[in-house]
Amino acid sequence: MFGRLGAPEIILILVVIILLFGAKKLPDMARSLGKSARILKSEAKAMKEEGSNSATPAGPPNPGEQPPAQRTIQAAPGDVTSSRPVTEPTDTTKR
């Protein structure tokens, strides 16, 4: 009964979405969804690599071996707001 979605139903759903969110917000929402998916994918890959590395026997580190580097999440190309470190403002006023 509810399993059949034809072209008119899909068009109606899209029109309702555009009316609810507005045409201006949809590209921003899609962009943020893409960023979230990219971050989730990189984290899942890092967890998988971390899991395979932890399966090796733990022993004393070799003298020539360096410790693993800290993981960082890469910003999306062209995303300048999240690509640079943010410094916290310091309170320079005397109270």
Side-chain angles (χ1 to χ4, degrees):
M1 181 174 179
F2 293 108
R4 297 183 184 192
L5 284 178
E9 289 86 5
I10 293 174
I11 291 172
L12 180 66
I13 291 170
L14 290 175
V15 168
V16 169
I17 288 173
I18 290 173
L19 288 175
L20 284 176
F21 295 108
K24 291 182 179 180
K25 290 185 182 179
L26 289 177
D28 293 334
M29 290 172 56
R31 193 174 300 118
S32 66
L33 183 64
K35 283 181 187 179
S36 300
R38 217 173 300 127
I39 290 171
L40 179 66
K41 184 178 178 182
S42 67
E43 287 295 320
K45 181 180 176 185
M47 286 178 63
K48 185 183 287 187
E49 289 175 356
E50 195 174 277
S52 66
N53 288 343
S54 66
T56 59
N62 295 337
E65 187 177 322
Q66 295 181 350
Q70 187 176 8
R71 291 187 295 135
T72 57
I73 298 174
Q74 298 295 323
D79 185 17
V80 295
T81 58
S82 62
S83 62
R84 27 187 167 126
V86 178
T87 57
E88 293 294 323
T90 57
D91 189 14
T92 58
T93 59
K94 303 292 181 192
R95 295 182 185 189

